[in-house]
Amino acid sequence: MTTPDELASVRYIVDDVAAAVHFYTTHLGFTLHTHPAPAFADVVRGPLRLLLSGPASSGARATPDDATSPGRNRIHLLVDDLDTEIGQLRAAGLSFRSDVITGPGGRQILLSDPAGNLIELFEPAPR
């Protein structure tokens, strides 16, 4: 098991590791951790380590053939001001996969990375 100071890791299978690194570090506030190009890189934001596995990586090769398209799972990133984030990302040429949804816990919107993996941007409701 992990200790409290370890990062939680999520693996995303991507078509182009360099494009994924650029997307996450430029638009979503991640920092590059390691990049043994071109097969793999990992980026970090807070306690999340996002493993970006390209076609040549062992993580991608282990994926069954019937599970090669992105799933409905997604990483969940907290933001302070959802409208500002949306405006900045749209100004950078990114498009979203959903409209803003408002619920009892807050507001959210979905976008996807260059490989189609989903990212949820979430602004908690005021307490």
Side-chain angles (χ1 to χ4, degrees):
M1 300 307 292
T2 61
T3 62
D5 61 336
E6 290 183 84
L7 300 173
S9 296
V10 173
R11 183 181 309 278
Y12 269 175
I13 308 301
V14 299
D15 300 327
D16 182 333
V17 173
V21 167
H22 176 77
F23 175 83
Y24 286 99
T25 59
T26 301
H27 302 296
L28 297 177
F30 283 80
T31 57
L32 183 63
H33 187 251
T34 61
H35 190 236
F40 173 84
D42 61 337
V43 293
V44 174
R45 178 179 163 167
L48 173 61
R49 178 177 171 233
L50 187 57
L51 312 171
L52 303 169
S53 296
S57 73
S58 59
R61 291 192 318 260
T63 304
D65 289 338
D66 63 347
T68 56
S69 63
R72 293 178 49 141
N73 296 321
R74 56 191 180 238
I75 59 171
H76 174 94
L77 302 177
L78 294 176
V79 299
D80 292 327
D81 183 341
L82 186 61
D83 296 323
T84 297
E85 292 287 333
I86 291 169
Q88 291 172 342
L89 294 169
R90 282 196 173 128
L94 302 181
S95 58
F96 292 85
R97 299 283 307 270
S98 74
D99 294 323
V100 174
I101 304 295
T102 301
R107 301 168 59 229
Q108 64 180 301
I109 193 166
L110 297 178
L111 73 149
S112 58
D113 72 9
N117 296 299
L118 293 175
I119 299 106
E120 176 183 327
L121 302 178
F122 181 79
E123 177 186 346
R127 297 186 189 243

PDB file of all heavy atoms in Angstrom, residues 82-114:
ATOM      1  N   LEU A  82     -14.369  28.246 -12.745  1.00  0.00           N
ATOM      2  CA  LEU A  82     -14.607  27.448 -13.948  1.00  0.00           C
ATOM      3  C   LEU A  82     -14.761  28.322 -15.186  1.00  0.00           C
ATOM      4  O   LEU A  82     -14.212  28.000 -16.243  1.00  0.00           O
ATOM      5  CB  LEU A  82     -15.841  26.558 -13.757  1.00  0.00           C
ATOM      6  CG  LEU A  82     -16.128  25.565 -14.871  1.00  0.00           C
ATOM      7  CD1 LEU A  82     -14.977  24.585 -15.055  1.00  0.00           C
ATOM      8  CD2 LEU A  82     -17.430  24.815 -14.593  1.00  0.00           C
ATOM      9  N   ASP A  83     -15.475  29.430 -15.077  1.00  0.00           N
ATOM     10  CA  ASP A  83     -15.684  30.287 -16.242  1.00  0.00           C
ATOM     11  C   ASP A  83     -14.370  30.852 -16.782  1.00  0.00           C
ATOM     12  O   ASP A  83     -14.164  30.905 -17.996  1.00  0.00           O
ATOM     13  CB  ASP A  83     -16.654  31.420 -15.908  1.00  0.00           C
ATOM     14  CG  ASP A  83     -18.050  30.887 -15.573  1.00  0.00           C
ATOM     15  OD1 ASP A  83     -18.491  29.905 -16.210  1.00  0.00           O
ATOM     16  OD2 ASP A  83     -18.693  31.446 -14.664  1.00  0.00           O
ATOM     17  N   THR A  84     -13.471  31.255 -15.884  1.00  0.00           N
ATOM     18  CA  THR A  84     -12.167  31.756 -16.310  1.00  0.00           C
ATOM     19  C   THR A  84     -11.367  30.655 -16.996  1.00  0.00           C
ATOM     20  O   THR A  84     -10.754  30.879 -18.048  1.00  0.00           O
ATOM     21  CB  THR A  84     -11.385  32.327 -15.105  1.00  0.00           C
ATOM     22  OG1 THR A  84     -12.117  33.440 -14.577  1.00  0.00           O
ATOM     23  CG2 THR A  84      -9.992  32.776 -15.504  1.00  0.00           C
ATOM     24  N   GLU A  85     -11.360  29.455 -16.416  1.00  0.00           N
ATOM     25  CA  GLU A  85     -10.646  28.317 -17.024  1.00  0.00           C
ATOM     26  C   GLU A  85     -11.183  28.030 -18.421  1.00  0.00           C
ATOM     27  O   GLU A  85     -10.418  27.826 -19.368  1.00  0.00           O
ATOM     28  CB  GLU A  85     -10.770  27.070 -16.159  1.00  0.00           C
ATOM     29  CG  GLU A  85     -10.058  27.143 -14.841  1.00  0.00           C
ATOM     30  CD  GLU A  85      -8.544  27.061 -14.957  1.00  0.00           C
ATOM     31  OE1 GLU A  85      -8.035  26.461 -15.932  1.00  0.00           O
ATOM     32  OE2 GLU A  85      -7.870  27.597 -14.062  1.00  0.00           O
ATOM     33  N   ILE A  86     -12.503  28.001 -18.558  1.00  0.00           N
ATOM     34  CA  ILE A  86     -13.120  27.729 -19.860  1.00  0.00           C
ATOM     35  C   ILE A  86     -12.699  28.798 -20.862  1.00  0.00           C
ATOM     36  O   ILE A  86     -12.316  28.482 -21.998  1.00  0.00           O
ATOM     37  CB  ILE A  86     -14.656  27.662 -19.730  1.00  0.00           C
ATOM     38  CG1 ILE A  86     -15.060  26.418 -18.940  1.00  0.00           C
ATOM     39  CG2 ILE A  86     -15.319  27.668 -21.108  1.00  0.00           C
ATOM     40  CD1 ILE A  86     -16.522  26.386 -18.522  1.00  0.00           C
ATOM     41  N   GLY A  87     -12.740  30.054 -20.457  1.00  0.00           N
ATOM     42  CA  GLY A  87     -12.345  31.136 -21.359  1.00  0.00           C
ATOM     43  C   GLY A  87     -10.901  31.026 -21.814  1.00  0.00           C
ATOM     44  O   GLY A  87     -10.601  31.204 -22.997  1.00  0.00           O
ATOM     45  N   GLN A  88     -10.005  30.708 -20.885  1.00  0.00           N
ATOM     46  CA  GLN A  88      -8.591  30.575 -21.238  1.00  0.00           C
ATOM     47  C   GLN A  88      -8.368  29.390 -22.183  1.00  0.00           C
ATOM     48  O   GLN A  88      -7.590  29.482 -23.137  1.00  0.00           O
ATOM     49  CB  GLN A  88      -7.749  30.415 -19.982  1.00  0.00           C
ATOM     50  CG  GLN A  88      -7.684  31.658 -19.139  1.00  0.00           C
ATOM     51  CD  GLN A  88      -7.008  31.441 -17.795  1.00  0.00           C
ATOM     52  OE1 GLN A  88      -6.862  30.329 -17.313  1.00  0.00           O
ATOM     53  NE2 GLN A  88      -6.612  32.538 -17.167  1.00  0.00           N
ATOM     54  N   LEU A  89      -9.029  28.281 -21.921  1.00  0.00           N
ATOM     55  CA  LEU A  89      -8.840  27.097 -22.758  1.00  0.00           C
ATOM     56  C   LEU A  89      -9.454  27.298 -24.148  1.00  0.00           C
ATOM     57  O   LEU A  89      -8.869  26.882 -25.148  1.00  0.00           O
ATOM     58  CB  LEU A  89      -9.410  25.863 -22.064  1.00  0.00           C
ATOM     59  CG  LEU A  89      -8.673  25.469 -20.778  1.00  0.00           C
ATOM     60  CD1 LEU A  89      -9.451  24.407 -20.015  1.00  0.00           C
ATOM     61  CD2 LEU A  89      -7.255  25.013 -21.076  1.00  0.00           C
ATOM     62  N   ARG A  90     -10.591  27.949 -24.214  1.00  0.00           N
ATOM     63  CA  ARG A  90     -11.190  28.255 -25.531  1.00  0.00           C
ATOM     64  C   ARG A  90     -10.299  29.219 -26.304  1.00  0.00           C
ATOM     65  O   ARG A  90     -10.118  29.065 -27.511  1.00  0.00           O
ATOM     66  CB  ARG A  90     -12.594  28.807 -25.364  1.00  0.00           C
ATOM     67  CG  ARG A  90     -13.608  27.725 -25.080  1.00  0.00           C
ATOM     68  CD  ARG A  90     -15.044  28.197 -25.296  1.00  0.00           C
ATOM     69  NE  ARG A  90     -15.931  27.055 -25.169  1.00  0.00           N
ATOM     70  CZ  ARG A  90     -16.994  27.004 -24.386  1.00  0.00           C
ATOM     71  NH1 ARG A  90     -17.341  28.057 -23.666  1.00  0.00           N
ATOM     72  NH2 ARG A  90     -17.740  25.916 -24.332  1.00  0.00           N
ATOM     73  N   ALA A  91      -9.731  30.210 -25.615  1.00  0.00           N
ATOM     74  CA  ALA A  91      -8.825  31.165 -26.269  1.00  0.00           C
ATOM     75  C   ALA A  91      -7.581  30.462 -26.812  1.00  0.00           C
ATOM     76  O   ALA A  91      -6.991  30.899 -27.798  1.00  0.00           O
ATOM     77  CB  ALA A  91      -8.435  32.271 -25.294  1.00  0.00           C
ATOM     78  N   ALA A  92      -7.195  29.347 -26.176  1.00  0.00           N
ATOM     79  CA  ALA A  92      -6.046  28.562 -26.638  1.00  0.00           C
ATOM     80  C   ALA A  92      -6.434  27.596 -27.760  1.00  0.00           C
ATOM     81  O   ALA A  92      -5.599  26.834 -28.234  1.00  0.00           O
ATOM     82  CB  ALA A  92      -5.444  27.786 -25.474  1.00  0.00           C
ATOM     83  N   GLY A  93      -7.704  27.618 -28.170  1.00  0.00           N
ATOM     84  CA  GLY A  93      -8.144  26.780 -29.285  1.00  0.00           C
ATOM     85  C   GLY A  93      -8.682  25.422 -28.885  1.00  0.00           C
ATOM     86  O   GLY A  93      -8.917  24.583 -29.762  1.00  0.00           O
ATOM     87  N   LEU A  94      -8.883  25.193 -27.597  1.00  0.00           N
ATOM     88  CA  LEU A  94      -9.404  23.893 -27.156  1.00  0.00           C
ATOM     89  C   LEU A  94     -10.921  23.909 -27.183  1.00  0.00           C
ATOM     90  O   LEU A  94     -11.551  24.949 -26.993  1.00  0.00           O
ATOM     91  CB  LEU A  94      -8.909  23.563 -25.751  1.00  0.00           C
ATOM     92  CG  LEU A  94      -7.397  23.520 -25.569  1.00  0.00           C
ATOM     93  CD1 LEU A  94      -7.051  23.166 -24.135  1.00  0.00           C
ATOM     94  CD2 LEU A  94      -6.760  22.534 -26.525  1.00  0.00           C
ATOM     95  N   SER A  95     -11.494  22.745 -27.430  1.00  0.00           N
ATOM     96  CA  SER A  95     -12.950  22.629 -27.414  1.00  0.00           C
ATOM     97  C   SER A  95     -13.354  21.640 -26.334  1.00  0.00           C
ATOM     98  O   SER A  95     -12.550  20.816 -25.896  1.00  0.00           O
ATOM     99  CB  SER A  95     -13.477  22.194 -28.783  1.00  0.00           C
ATOM    100  OG  SER A  95     -12.912  20.968 -29.155  1.00  0.00           O
ATOM    101  N   PHE A  96     -14.605  21.711 -25.943  1.00  0.00           N
ATOM    102  CA  PHE A  96     -15.097  20.907 -24.843  1.00  0.00           C
ATOM    103  C   PHE A  96     -16.002  19.790 -25.337  1.00  0.00           C
ATOM    104  O   PHE A  96     -16.590  19.878 -26.399  1.00  0.00           O
ATOM    105  CB  PHE A  96     -15.810  21.805 -23.832  1.00  0.00           C
ATOM    106  CG  PHE A  96     -14.853  22.727 -23.123  1.00  0.00           C
ATOM    107  CD1 PHE A  96     -14.496  23.939 -23.686  1.00  0.00           C
ATOM    108  CD2 PHE A  96     -14.274  22.357 -21.929  1.00  0.00           C
ATOM    109  CE1 PHE A  96     -13.589  24.773 -23.052  1.00  0.00           C
ATOM    110  CE2 PHE A  96     -13.367  23.173 -21.289  1.00  0.00           C
ATOM    111  CZ  PHE A  96     -13.030  24.387 -21.855  1.00  0.00           C
ATOM    112  N   ARG A  97     -16.121  18.746 -24.541  1.00  0.00           N
ATOM    113  CA  ARG A  97     -16.945  17.590 -24.865  1.00  0.00           C
ATOM    114  C   ARG A  97     -18.334  17.668 -24.260  1.00  0.00           C
ATOM    115  O   ARG A  97     -19.162  16.813 -24.489  1.00  0.00           O
ATOM    116  CB  ARG A  97     -16.264  16.307 -24.376  1.00  0.00           C
ATOM    117  CG  ARG A  97     -14.915  16.010 -24.987  1.00  0.00           C
ATOM    118  CD  ARG A  97     -15.019  15.465 -26.390  1.00  0.00           C
ATOM    119  NE  ARG A  97     -15.886  14.319 -26.491  1.00  0.00           N
ATOM    120  CZ  ARG A  97     -15.530  13.053 -26.363  1.00  0.00           C
ATOM    121  NH1 ARG A  97     -14.289  12.749 -26.102  1.00  0.00           N
ATOM    122  NH2 ARG A  97     -16.412  12.095 -26.495  1.00  0.00           N
ATOM    123  N   SER A  98     -18.563  18.681 -23.416  1.00  0.00           N
ATOM    124  CA  SER A  98     -19.869  18.853 -22.798  1.00  0.00           C
ATOM    125  C   SER A  98     -20.102  20.327 -22.562  1.00  0.00           C
ATOM    126  O   SER A  98     -19.196  21.147 -22.709  1.00  0.00           O
ATOM    127  CB  SER A  98     -19.948  18.091 -21.464  1.00  0.00           C
ATOM    128  OG  SER A  98     -19.199  18.761 -20.463  1.00  0.00           O
ATOM    129  N   ASP A  99     -21.332  20.640 -22.183  1.00  0.00           N
ATOM    130  CA  ASP A  99     -21.651  21.964 -21.682  1.00  0.00           C
ATOM    131  C   ASP A  99     -21.367  21.964 -20.187  1.00  0.00           C
ATOM    132  O   ASP A  99     -21.135  20.910 -19.590  1.00  0.00           O
ATOM    133  CB  ASP A  99     -23.126  22.285 -21.933  1.00  0.00           C
ATOM    134  CG  ASP A  99     -23.451  22.403 -23.419  1.00  0.00           C
ATOM    135  OD1 ASP A  99     -22.604  22.916 -24.180  1.00  0.00           O
ATOM    136  OD2 ASP A  99     -24.553  21.972 -23.811  1.00  0.00           O
ATOM    137  N   VAL A 100     -21.425  23.128 -19.577  1.00  0.00           N
ATOM    138  CA  VAL A 100     -21.292  23.211 -18.127  1.00  0.00           C
ATOM    139  C   VAL A 100     -22.522  22.571 -17.499  1.00  0.00           C
ATOM    140  O   VAL A 100     -23.654  22.845 -17.897  1.00  0.00           O
ATOM    141  CB  VAL A 100     -21.145  24.678 -17.659  1.00  0.00           C
ATOM    142  CG1 VAL A 100     -21.160  24.766 -16.140  1.00  0.00           C
ATOM    143  CG2 VAL A 100     -19.866  25.288 -18.219  1.00  0.00           C
ATOM    144  N   ILE A 101     -22.276  21.695 -16.544  1.00  0.00           N
ATOM    145  CA  ILE A 101     -23.338  21.029 -15.792  1.00  0.00           C
ATOM    146  C   ILE A 101     -23.255  21.536 -14.359  1.00  0.00           C
ATOM    147  O   ILE A 101     -22.176  21.555 -13.762  1.00  0.00           O
ATOM    148  CB  ILE A 101     -23.155  19.490 -15.803  1.00  0.00           C
ATOM    149  CG1 ILE A 101     -23.091  18.959 -17.225  1.00  0.00           C
ATOM    150  CG2 ILE A 101     -24.219  18.808 -14.970  1.00  0.00           C
ATOM    151  CD1 ILE A 101     -24.341  19.134 -18.023  1.00  0.00           C
ATOM    152  N   THR A 102     -24.399  21.930 -13.809  1.00  0.00           N
ATOM    153  CA  THR A 102     -24.447  22.397 -12.431  1.00  0.00           C
ATOM    154  C   THR A 102     -25.236  21.404 -11.598  1.00  0.00           C
ATOM    155  O   THR A 102     -26.310  20.957 -12.005  1.00  0.00           O
ATOM    156  CB  THR A 102     -25.124  23.784 -12.351  1.00  0.00           C
ATOM    157  OG1 THR A 102     -24.382  24.695 -13.161  1.00  0.00           O
ATOM    158  CG2 THR A 102     -25.153  24.292 -10.925  1.00  0.00           C
ATOM    159  N   GLY A 103     -24.670  21.031 -10.460  1.00  0.00           N
ATOM    160  CA  GLY A 103     -25.333  20.113  -9.541  1.00  0.00           C
ATOM    161  C   GLY A 103     -25.172  20.604  -8.119  1.00  0.00           C
ATOM    162  O   GLY A 103     -24.602  21.673  -7.883  1.00  0.00           O
ATOM    163  N   PRO A 104     -25.634  19.826  -7.163  1.00  0.00           N
ATOM    164  CA  PRO A 104     -25.572  20.268  -5.773  1.00  0.00           C
ATOM    165  C   PRO A 104     -24.143  20.447  -5.258  1.00  0.00           C
ATOM    166  O   PRO A 104     -23.902  21.254  -4.363  1.00  0.00           O
ATOM    167  CB  PRO A 104     -26.299  19.166  -5.003  1.00  0.00           C
ATOM    168  CG  PRO A 104     -26.324  17.994  -5.906  1.00  0.00           C
ATOM    169  CD  PRO A 104     -26.252  18.524  -7.302  1.00  0.00           C
ATOM    170  N   GLY A 105     -23.186  19.735  -5.831  1.00  0.00           N
ATOM    171  CA  GLY A 105     -21.804  19.827  -5.360  1.00  0.00           C
ATOM    172  C   GLY A 105     -20.975  20.876  -6.055  1.00  0.00           C
ATOM    173  O   GLY A 105     -19.879  21.216  -5.604  1.00  0.00           O
ATOM    174  N   GLY A 106     -21.460  21.391  -7.192  1.00  0.00           N
ATOM    175  CA  GLY A 106     -20.692  22.380  -7.921  1.00  0.00           C
ATOM    176  C   GLY A 106     -20.986  22.339  -9.407  1.00  0.00           C
ATOM    177  O   GLY A 106     -22.007  21.809  -9.842  1.00  0.00           O
ATOM    178  N   ARG A 107     -20.040  22.870 -10.185  1.00  0.00           N
ATOM    179  CA  ARG A 107     -20.184  22.953 -11.641  1.00  0.00           C
ATOM    180  C   ARG A 107     -19.019  22.221 -12.295  1.00  0.00           C
ATOM    181  O   ARG A 107     -17.908  22.242 -11.789  1.00  0.00           O
ATOM    182  CB  ARG A 107     -20.175  24.417 -12.074  1.00  0.00           C
ATOM    183  CG  ARG A 107     -21.285  25.222 -11.433  1.00  0.00           C
ATOM    184  CD  ARG A 107     -21.112  26.732 -11.625  1.00  0.00           C
ATOM    185  NE  ARG A 107     -21.083  27.075 -13.033  1.00  0.00           N
ATOM    186  CZ  ARG A 107     -20.162  27.854 -13.590  1.00  0.00           C
ATOM    187  NH1 ARG A 107     -19.180  28.373 -12.873  1.00  0.00           N
ATOM    188  NH2 ARG A 107     -20.207  28.124 -14.876  1.00  0.00           N
ATOM    189  N   GLN A 108     -19.295  21.607 -13.457  1.00  0.00           N
ATOM    190  CA  GLN A 108     -18.254  20.862 -14.148  1.00  0.00           C
ATOM    191  C   GLN A 108     -18.423  20.959 -15.649  1.00  0.00           C
ATOM    192  O   GLN A 108     -19.498  21.261 -16.158  1.00  0.00           O
ATOM    193  CB  GLN A 108     -18.284  19.405 -13.727  1.00  0.00           C
ATOM    194  CG  GLN A 108     -19.562  18.679 -14.111  1.00  0.00           C
ATOM    195  CD  GLN A 108     -19.544  17.241 -13.674  1.00  0.00           C
ATOM    196  OE1 GLN A 108     -18.679  16.484 -14.069  1.00  0.00           O
ATOM    197  NE2 GLN A 108     -20.515  16.866 -12.852  1.00  0.00           N
ATOM    198  N   ILE A 109     -17.322  20.685 -16.348  1.00  0.00           N
ATOM    199  CA  ILE A 109     -17.314  20.598 -17.802  1.00  0.00           C
ATOM    200  C   ILE A 109     -16.265  19.566 -18.181  1.00  0.00           C
ATOM    201  O   ILE A 109     -15.295  19.353 -17.453  1.00  0.00           O
ATOM    202  CB  ILE A 109     -17.027  21.976 -18.448  1.00  0.00           C
ATOM    203  CG1 ILE A 109     -17.343  21.957 -19.950  1.00  0.00           C
ATOM    204  CG2 ILE A 109     -15.597  22.420 -18.175  1.00  0.00           C
ATOM    205  CD1 ILE A 109     -17.406  23.345 -20.572  1.00  0.00           C
ATOM    206  N   LEU A 110     -16.454  18.914 -19.317  1.00  0.00           N
ATOM    207  CA  LEU A 110     -15.508  17.907 -19.797  1.00  0.00           C
ATOM    208  C   LEU A 110     -14.784  18.407 -21.030  1.00  0.00           C
ATOM    209  O   LEU A 110     -15.376  19.024 -21.915  1.00  0.00           O
ATOM    210  CB  LEU A 110     -16.235  16.612 -20.167  1.00  0.00           C
ATOM    211  CG  LEU A 110     -16.949  15.873 -19.054  1.00  0.00           C
ATOM    212  CD1 LEU A 110     -17.657  14.644 -19.629  1.00  0.00           C
ATOM    213  CD2 LEU A 110     -15.996  15.472 -17.958  1.00  0.00           C
ATOM    214  N   LEU A 111     -13.495  18.130 -21.097  1.00  0.00           N
ATOM    215  CA  LEU A 111     -12.725  18.298 -22.316  1.00  0.00           C
ATOM    216  C   LEU A 111     -11.920  17.032 -22.511  1.00  0.00           C
ATOM    217  O   LEU A 111     -11.911  16.152 -21.655  1.00  0.00           O
ATOM    218  CB  LEU A 111     -11.840  19.543 -22.265  1.00  0.00           C
ATOM    219  CG  LEU A 111     -10.611  19.535 -21.387  1.00  0.00           C
ATOM    220  CD1 LEU A 111      -9.562  20.428 -22.034  1.00  0.00           C
ATOM    221  CD2 LEU A 111     -10.948  20.107 -20.028  1.00  0.00           C
ATOM    222  N   SER A 112     -11.286  16.913 -23.644  1.00  0.00           N
ATOM    223  CA  SER A 112     -10.476  15.720 -23.888  1.00  0.00           C
ATOM    224  C   SER A 112      -9.081  16.128 -24.302  1.00  0.00           C
ATOM    225  O   SER A 112      -8.862  17.198 -24.860  1.00  0.00           O
ATOM    226  CB  SER A 112     -11.121  14.813 -24.945  1.00  0.00           C
ATOM    227  OG  SER A 112     -11.307  15.491 -26.152  1.00  0.00           O
ATOM    228  N   ASP A 113      -8.131  15.227 -24.008  1.00  0.00           N
ATOM    229  CA  ASP A 113      -6.749  15.463 -24.417  1.00  0.00           C
ATOM    230  C   ASP A 113      -6.607  15.088 -25.885  1.00  0.00           C
ATOM    231  O   ASP A 113      -7.574  14.639 -26.518  1.00  0.00           O
ATOM    232  CB  ASP A 113      -5.774  14.726 -23.487  1.00  0.00           C
ATOM    233  CG  ASP A 113      -5.733  13.224 -23.644  1.00  0.00           C
ATOM    234  OD1 ASP A 113      -6.337  12.674 -24.594  1.00  0.00           O
ATOM    235  OD2 ASP A 113      -5.083  12.569 -22.806  1.00  0.00           O
ATOM    236  N   PRO A 114      -5.435  15.271 -26.485  1.00  0.00           N
ATOM    237  CA  PRO A 114      -5.274  14.972 -27.910  1.00  0.00           C
ATOM    238  C   PRO A 114      -5.602  13.528 -28.296  1.00  0.00           C
ATOM    239  O   PRO A 114      -5.938  13.257 -29.447  1.00  0.00           O
ATOM    240  CB  PRO A 114      -3.798  15.291 -28.181  1.00  0.00           C
ATOM    241  CG  PRO A 114      -3.458  16.329 -27.163  1.00  0.00           C
ATOM    242  CD  PRO A 114      -4.239  15.929 -25.936  1.00  0.00           C
TER     243      PRO A 114
END
